[in-house]
Amino acid sequence: MVELALYHPELGFYETGGAAGRGGDFLTSPEVGPLFGAVLARALDSWWRDLGEPSSFTVVEAGAGRGTLATSILAAAPACRPALRYVAVERSSTLRARLPEGVEPAAVLPAEPFVGVVLANELLDNLPFGLIERQAEGWAEVRVTEDLAETLVPVDDPAEDRLAPEAPVGGRIPTQRAAGAWVDRAFRLVRPGRVVVIDYADTTPSMAARPWTEWVRTYRAHGRGGSPLADLGRQDVTCEVAVDQLPVPTSDRSQAEFLRAHGIDDLAHEAQQAWEARAHIGDLQALVARSRAQEAAALTDPTGLGAFRVLEWACGVDPDG
Ligand SMILES: C[S@@+](CC[C@H](N)C(=O)[O-])C[C@H]1O[C@@H](n2cnc3c(N)ncnc32)[C@H](O)[C@@H]1O
């Protein structure tokens, strides 16, 4: 159902104009402003240095949307730029056509391994997922009939039971095989390098104890949408990422911690000083500086974007880099 609602070639949400951005349907960190990309550019430099500053360094950004993060990263002129090949993987042909110059557009992940990084902001929450419900006698899969009604079909896979053994009867959990398989595939590509995934996340047992309508969400035009089964193709359908259903990461920290580790406070401080020095002039430079300081607060907000998780899988490099 998620597959069709989001990615049907003619009717899917992402093929018919759905997107992140101020003029789009929801706001992601890269769309808050260029600061997120400026910090990511610093992170890329540190990962490039960890690898011994190779002369060819590939960054594959998956689920790149219309390329806002790529634009900000390249605009920040990272030190690795002369070595950098930036591949923007975007499944929607509509969004792919909007990618900026300077990036290599692609519909799927590269086939061959490379030295570098696979990066994905808010991709995993948009991959198709399943839903299962705990019943007195076991688990049942929540399926959708042709007339868009729910139907419960018993499942007898003991693996499902291990995901949330304490789930109450009536409790639901997501099954995220596509997300797990995607991380697995990305990890096999970076030889050496790292996979970095940024998303809203929780664990399966914790999700079992919460109403499922809290962690399966729909969005459109900057508001929450209706039921996931309503208005197919006209709203985004997302699911919080169950970290315990992914390969075990080398590092798992909040977005606020990650951005601080890569210097957001320095950049915000510089911006604040520039704003104070130029506020009386009120020119474009002053306004850009003020906006940067405000972006830092939004990106590290512990009740918002700052609480997102940044998961890293390092291969052949210092995991703390
Ligand atoms: C929530 S949007 C995030 C866009 C952007 N990363 C951002 O943070 O603003 C998710 C994007 O991932 C794309 N997508 C979904 N599945 C994909 C896949 N398997 N490979 C590449 N892109 C995919 C969607 O088309 C959509 O543009």
Side-chain angles (χ1 to χ4, degrees):
M1 196 282 286
V2 178
E3 173 71 25
L4 289 175
L6 298 184
Y7 307 115
H8 184 280
E10 280 138 41
L11 304 172
F13 174 77
Y14 282 111
E15 287 294 353
T16 54
R22 290 194 191 277
D25 295 275
F26 46 86
L27 205 59
T28 57
S29 295
E31 299 287 349
V32 165
L35 181 60
F36 186 72
V39 182
L40 260 298
R42 287 184 165 210
L44 288 179
D45 275 342
S46 82
W47 299 329
W48 176 60
R49 290 188 183 112
D50 285 349
L51 289 165
E53 304 189 4
S55 59
S56 172
F57 179 59
T58 299
V59 171
V60 173
E61 188 200 340
R66 58 195 183 127
T68 307
L69 178 57
T71 301
S72 309
I73 287 177
L74 297 178
C80 64
R81 184 71 181 99
L84 182 62
R85 171 182 168 227
Y86 199 109
V87 181
V89 181
E90 173 48 56
R91 180 174 177 174
S92 152
S93 55
T94 310
L95 291 171
R96 225 167 37 242
R98 294 169 66 184
L99 287 167
E101 298 226 337
V103 310
E104 215 175 285
V108 293
L109 289 173
E112 298 300 326
F114 52 82
V115 176
V117 176
V118 178
L119 179 63
N121 189 66
E122 291 204 34
L123 166 69
L124 264 50
D125 68 82
N126 256 171
L127 296 183
F129 58 91
L131 264 188
I132 57 173
E133 180 176 308
R134 183 67 176 263
Q135 302 199 301
E137 58 292 348
W139 289 91
E141 186 177 355
V142 183
R143 295 208 188 147
V144 178
T145 61
E146 268 182 25
D147 50 354
L148 297 180
E150 277 191 1
T151 175
L152 293 173
V153 179
V155 285
D156 48 18
D157 183 352
E160 314 286 17
D161 202 39
R162 282 202 295 273
L163 291 174
E166 310 294 330
V169 170
R172 289 185 171 184
I173 60 172
T175 52
Q176 295 182 319
R177 291 198 187 86
W182 185 90
V183 172
D184 224 40
R185 163 124 183 65
F187 186 66
R188 276 182 277 119
L189 283 176
V190 287
R191 289 293 176 267
R194 68 181 68 218
V195 177
V196 181
V197 158
I198 307 169
D199 225 313
Y200 29 86
D202 196 358
T203 63
T204 316
S206 159
M207 289 158 101
R210 297 167 55 203
W212 72 279
T213 45
E214 212 177 271
W215 41 263
V216 172
R217 293 189 286 270
T218 59
Y219 294 93
R220 82 166 124 182
H222 288 289
R224 292 287 282 272
S227 150
L229 296 181
D231 294 328
L232 288 193
R234 294 209 294 274
Q235 57 181 1
D236 189 19
V237 182
T238 79
C239 182
E240 286 181 26
V241 177
V243 176
D244 54 308
Q245 294 189 38
L246 304 177
V248 178
T250 340
S251 152
D252 172 357
R253 53 187 156 171
S254 70
Q255 172 161 308
E257 287 172 299
F258 170 83
L259 294 177
R260 291 208 167 96
H262 289 289
I264 195 170
D265 289 338
D266 293 346
L267 293 175
H269 182 67
E270 279 166 25
Q272 185 63 30
Q273 285 185 322
W275 160 243
E276 281 161 18
R278 298 189 76 86
H280 65 287
I281 309 173
D283 62 357
L284 184 63
Q285 247 179 298
L287 296 179
V288 167
R290 184 180 59 176
S291 150
R292 211 169 229 230
Q294 289 166 346
E295 285 170 42
L299 294 171
T300 55
D301 175 3
T303 65
L305 293 170
F308 279 33
R309 306 306 300 174
V310 180
L311 308 171
E312 296 179 46
W313 292 265
C315 169
V317 288
D318 171 8
D320 299 322

